[in-house]
Amino acid sequence: MLPDHARLLALLQDAGEIVGRKKWQKMVYISKKMQLPLQEKYTFHMYGPYSEELTLRTEELCSLGFVTETKESKSGYYQYRYQLTEAGNTFLDTFSLEWPHQKAKEIIQRLNQYNAKFLELVSTMLYFEELSKDEVKEKVFTLKKSQNYKDVDIEEAWTFIDSLK
Amino acid sequence: MEGNRKLQEEKVFKDPVHRYIHIRDELIWDLIGTREFQRLRRIRQLGTTFLTFHGAEHTRFNHSLGVYEIMRRIIEVFDGRPHWEESERLLCLSAALLHDIGHGPFSHSFEKMFQTDHEWWTRKIIVEDTEVNQILRRMGEDFPQKVADVIEKTYPNKLVVSMISSQIDADRMDYLQRDAYYTGVSYGHFDMERILRVMRPTEDQAVIKYTGMHAVEDYIMSRYQMYWQVYFHPVTRSAEVILSKILQRVKTLYADGYAFSQSPHHFIGFFDGTINLEQYLQLDESVTLYYFQMWQLEDDPVLKDLCQRFMNRRLFKYVEFDQQLLLNEWSKLQELFTRADIDPEYYLVIDSSSDLPYDFYRPGEEEERMPIHLLMPDKRLRELSRESDLVEAISGKKRTDHKLYYPAEWLDSPGHEKEKQQIKDILFSQPDNQEMDFREG
């Protein structure tokens, strides 16, 4: 258990705070695809790659008092905000973790500048990265019909992915 | 349909959960006869749970047939309704039957230890050169790929995906009932006939008519109870911890060039990342348990001890722990274990609910998961927990749990008494553990 949880704490510490469960899910997925040593298992769900392990692990970190989850009411839905607590910081400082701090910080802080919809697109494209670019585009248009992504969004996402690598 | 014939006579499997499993399509009958599907007879559905509930010896073979049967019944209900396309019938049945075909022995522990996943093997078994693939290709060259896409949830028709993989699907409805039956617990029962009767196809998912809400409440309650009473059972988790540690030890010994009396031949592909499909298919639980049996005789004291523990059910005990232990005592505990000559890497193990392969009902906040939708009388869709107070109540309940596993009897054995006493002082100072009942089962 502990190293997996500590790695998530390290990501959150570098991010400062993360607004939105979907955003958190996609940030961890993309970080994993960028070779950060994260262990959360992802499968494809209606909204792109999703990890039940990550959801539970985040709940565990909240129940241990290492992360706070703030529920905010938005028009028609709830939004969740995640931050490390003081205890979380203390635990992380005392835990000996093999972790590529510099690389992780660069990735997570860049990802945190984007919205959940864009990160959903990026993570979906990465999920199908073994396919050709045309096939990836077709998958996005078929599976993500309701998000109305355009060619220009996909181009932007490819540029973003290249810049992350 | 081209590529499939109706069997001259219906075949049936007697099944304790669904009474009968009905096979009418030659395609399905032939898939069941493949070596890859027959292999599932040698992989238990619930991994190490048989060490806690002795009846839980049922396999992924039984479960896969059960999921197929539920899918067949759902299709009967959907037949002729809007949004349902008859052309998808055999695709749904094949996906239901094959959804677990890539599972390996004790797959949860294997996957964690060797960074692999059964979904990946499922896809390979379906699309590569196997008996399963050969039979699926009778339906067209692209049919195996379609089956794999449905199982991976990337098939364009989301209704089809939801029937096999959503928060109320054929897979869950079978395993809850089957696991309840074989473990012998009195949870896990719900009125599936009623749920199937009120299930309706929509463009994006299968939904439940409002009048069936109470049957769905029962299903959600069953899930909730089964998680805590069966799937998260601390004794099962202890066995799982020991199993993981055996795999870790064998991998480490192999890397260190240890001279095994019984070489880990079937596992080497996992260790060095070269495992191919044929090697994967050769590994099942019978083979794995043979190795564990033989490794009880190894010279390495850790491997020998862990295998003896697993084979003879001498499991670790556990305590609950909290933030304070992690912040203030964790390093000290590890140090004390080392000083007492007990390697903490193998004998002081934290296990959390997120280490288990089961999920709770989630109401779909922030689009995490597609929730269960009720079809209201005015044709609107409403998320289940917004209509049901009961579901709302358990959706918000605590779902996490952390336990610390250790070999309790070693703390009472002679030698290093001072360190062992200090260890016990720390473990039993945890607020929830002072009155802990350590009996098994």
Side-chain angles (χ1 to χ4, degrees):
Chain A
M1 168 225 177
L2 282 182
D4 295 340
H5 290 74
R7 282 186 269 266
L8 294 177
L9 290 177
L11 271 187
L12 262 176
Q13 191 179 49
D14 285 338
E17 74 168 9
I18 287 167
V19 181
R21 285 180 177 173
K22 182 155 89 173
K23 186 170 176 177
W24 176 227
Q25 280 277 341
K26 307 310 173 205
M27 285 171 78
V28 174
Y29 181 75
I30 297 167
S31 301
K32 192 177 169 186
K33 293 299 272 186
M34 293 302 128
Q35 310 302 323
L36 291 187
L38 296 154
Q39 302 301 317
E40 282 65 31
K41 184 177 171 181
Y42 276 82
T43 53
F44 199 85
H45 282 264
M46 296 290 181
Y47 309 106
Y50 169 82
S51 170
E52 179 69 18
E53 267 179 9
L54 174 62
T55 298
L56 264 178
R57 233 161 245 168
T58 306
E59 286 178 6
E60 286 163 0
L61 288 168
C62 292
S63 79
L64 282 169
F66 291 163
V67 171
T68 53
E69 178 188 73
T70 318
K71 188 175 181 178
E72 298 166 349
S73 185
K74 295 276 162 185
S75 53
Y77 69 101
Y78 291 112
Q79 182 174 270
Y80 295 83
R81 184 181 294 268
Y82 296 95
Q83 281 175 310
L84 226 64
T85 62
E86 208 179 307
N89 275 308
T90 309
F91 173 73
L92 199 52
D93 289 345
T94 54
F95 192 83
S96 115
L97 181 69
E98 279 181 37
W99 181 247
H101 286 281
Q102 192 55 37
K103 180 182 175 188
K105 191 168 186 172
E106 280 169 21
I107 290 174
I108 206 74
Q109 289 186 346
R110 278 201 68 195
L111 293 177
N112 209 9
Q113 292 166 8
Y114 289 85
N115 63 29
K117 185 180 173 188
F118 182 71
L119 297 179
E120 181 181 341
L121 174 63
V122 170
S123 55
T124 302
M125 289 165 66
L126 284 170
Y127 188 85
F128 293 110
E129 67 180 345
E130 285 174 15
L131 303 179
S132 71
K133 283 198 170 183
D134 283 345
E135 288 170 322
V136 171
K137 192 197 284 189
E138 199 188 317
K139 284 277 184 199
V140 169
F141 288 153
T142 315
L143 296 172
K144 299 274 164 194
K145 236 183 320 191
S146 61
Q147 288 286 36
N148 280 318
Y149 292 119
K150 305 280 185 270
D151 281 338
V152 61
D153 299 320
I154 292 189
E155 280 311 312
E156 189 188 345
W158 280 129
T159 308
F160 180 71
I161 290 169
D162 288 341
S163 73
L164 277 179
K165 280 179 175 168
Chain B
M1 185 178 220
E2 197 186 334
N4 178 56
R5 285 184 303 193
K6 287 289 174 192
L7 293 166
Q8 281 192 334
E9 266 189 45
E10 180 183 77
K11 309 271 188 188
V12 289
F13 290 82
K14 193 84 185 81
D15 183 75
V17 177
H18 306 306
R19 245 168 46 86
Y20 287 101
I21 286 161
H22 304 259
I23 315 286
R24 291 163 192 163
D25 300 287
E26 190 181 62
L27 178 81
I28 300 299
W29 182 248
D30 290 348
L31 284 172
I32 293 169
T34 59
R35 64 185 282 252
E36 295 89 15
F37 194 82
Q38 291 293 318
R39 167 182 162 275
L40 297 179
R41 289 181 188 271
R42 301 185 297 278
I43 298 192
R44 289 179 187 80
Q45 173 69 13
L46 286 180
T48 61
T49 300
F50 71 96
L51 289 168
T52 309
F53 298 95
H54 65 258
E57 295 275 0
H58 56 303
T59 67
R60 300 223 176 247
F61 180 89
N62 319 27
H63 166 64
S64 299
L65 287 180
V67 177
Y68 155 82
E69 175 62 18
I70 295 176
M71 180 64 87
R72 194 188 65 73
R73 293 184 198 179
I74 293 174
I75 291 170
E76 274 181 1
V77 174
F78 283 7
D79 192 25
R81 292 189 183 277
H83 303 294
W84 171 249
E85 290 174 33
E86 171 63 16
S87 59
E88 306 278 34
R89 187 182 71 89
L90 279 168
L91 179 63
C92 287
L93 294 177
S94 305
L97 188 73
L98 300 175
H99 77 287
D100 270 352
I101 194 120
H103 267 288
F106 306 110
S107 45
H108 190 58
S109 295
F110 265 74
E111 288 176 17
K112 276 198 159 332
M113 189 51 58
F114 301 127
Q115 312 286 304
T116 177
D117 69 76
H118 67 268
E119 287 93 350
W120 190 78
W121 291 107
T122 293
R123 167 171 284 273
K124 277 179 87 71
I125 292 168
I126 291 171
V127 302
E128 294 192 1
D129 184 17
T130 58
E131 291 182 12
V132 161
N133 176 267
Q134 211 172 16
I135 287 163
L136 290 173
R137 274 194 284 128
R138 289 184 202 157
M139 302 299 300
E141 281 303 308
D142 62 345
F143 192 70
Q145 187 61 49
K146 284 182 179 177
V147 173
D149 286 349
V150 171
I151 295 171
E152 206 177 352
K153 303 189 268 292
T154 57
Y155 188 64
N157 185 334
K158 293 189 175 187
L159 168 64
V160 166
V161 172
S162 80
M163 290 158 70
I164 178 81
S165 182
S166 65
Q167 298 208 64
I168 185 161
D169 59 19
D171 183 18
R172 279 185 174 74
M173 283 195 272
D174 183 79
Y175 78 60
L176 285 175
Q177 296 179 90
R178 192 167 299 280
D179 295 345
Y181 178 88
Y182 282 97
T183 54
V185 299
S186 54
Y187 323 99
H189 304 291
F190 57 91
D191 189 350
M192 186 178 78
E193 299 303 319
R194 174 81 182 137
I195 290 177
L196 296 187
R197 284 175 64 88
V198 292
M199 206 174 236
R200 293 288 179 270
T202 68
E203 189 182 347
D204 276 347
Q205 68 173 135
V207 300
I208 308 290
K209 269 175 74 179
Y210 177 73
T211 50
M213 184 177 84
H214 297 300
V216 181
E217 283 178 338
D218 226 17
Y219 158 83
I220 296 287
M221 280 306 290
S222 298
R223 249 174 97 170
Y224 183 80
Q225 289 166 328
M226 285 293 283
Y227 288 137
W228 288 114
Q229 300 300 324
V230 176
Y231 304 135
F232 288 9
H233 197 289
V235 175
T236 308
R237 288 164 66 178
S238 178
E240 201 76 29
V241 161
I242 291 173
L243 175 63
S244 300
K245 290 296 166 186
I246 293 173
L247 298 176
Q248 182 184 336
R249 187 63 180 174
V250 174
K251 188 180 174 186
T252 302
L253 290 174
Y254 179 76
D256 292 347
Y258 168 80
F260 285 90
S261 301
Q262 172 64 56
S263 160
H265 175 72
H266 284 82
F267 301 85
I268 290 172
F270 277 117
F271 299 157
D272 57 20
T274 59
I275 189 154
N276 61 34
L277 183 53
E278 185 51 39
Q279 290 167 332
Y280 185 77
L281 291 170
Q282 283 173 14
L283 194 59
D284 57 33
E285 286 180 7
S286 308
V287 171
T288 304
L289 289 174
Y290 168 77
Y291 278 96
F292 288 7
Q293 176 79 10
M294 297 309 288
W295 287 335
Q296 292 182 91
L297 305 172
E298 288 289 340
D299 290 335
D300 177 70
V302 174
L303 180 59
K304 177 180 176 152
D305 173 70
L306 292 171
C307 288
Q308 286 176 351
R309 285 179 183 279
F310 190 86
M311 296 305 289
N312 304 312
R313 197 189 179 280
R314 291 205 294 269
L315 305 178
F316 292 165
K317 303 297 184 197
Y318 66 93
V319 292
E320 311 273 346
F321 67 90
D322 62 10
Q323 182 198 88
Q324 291 310 311
L325 181 134
L326 286 179
L327 285 179
N328 304 323
E329 313 280 11
W330 180 243
S331 309
K332 192 174 168 193
L333 256 184
Q334 289 182 302
E335 191 196 316
L336 286 166
F337 265 70
T338 306
R339 275 169 37 203
D341 267 346
I342 307 174
D343 186 348
E345 184 62 32
Y346 294 98
Y347 292 100
L348 181 64
V349 187
I350 286 179
D351 184 71
S352 300
S353 32
S354 61
D355 294 324
L356 300 159
Y358 301 99
D359 55 0
F360 289 93
Y361 176 66
R362 301 199 179 275
E365 286 177 322
E366 286 200 43
E367 301 182 346
E368 271 185 322
R369 300 278 304 270
M370 178 72 92
I372 296 173
H373 278 119
L374 297 175
L375 181 61
M376 306 303 284
D378 61 4
K379 304 295 176 203
R380 280 180 312 125
L381 295 182
R382 290 274 289 167
E383 192 275 312
L384 174 64
S385 69
R386 290 177 187 265
E387 287 298 313
S388 161
D389 293 339
L390 199 145
V391 173
E392 191 196 10
I394 61 167
S395 295
K397 283 284 175 215
K398 170 179 172 284
R399 292 177 280 227
T400 61
D401 171 69
H402 316 271
K403 289 183 170 32
L404 188 54
Y405 285 89
Y406 64 99
E409 79 283 5
W410 283 4
L411 298 184
D412 293 322
S413 63
H416 303 287
E417 282 83 1
K418 192 175 135 208
E419 286 84 1
K420 289 176 180 173
Q421 188 54 52
Q422 285 177 283
I423 290 171
K424 286 195 274 189
D425 289 345
I426 293 174
L427 295 179
F428 301 129
S429 70
Q430 292 293 297
D432 292 336
N433 300 321
Q434 287 160 6
E435 302 286 328
M436 186 72 74
D437 179 353
F438 287 109
R439 284 172 303 178
E440 290 173 342

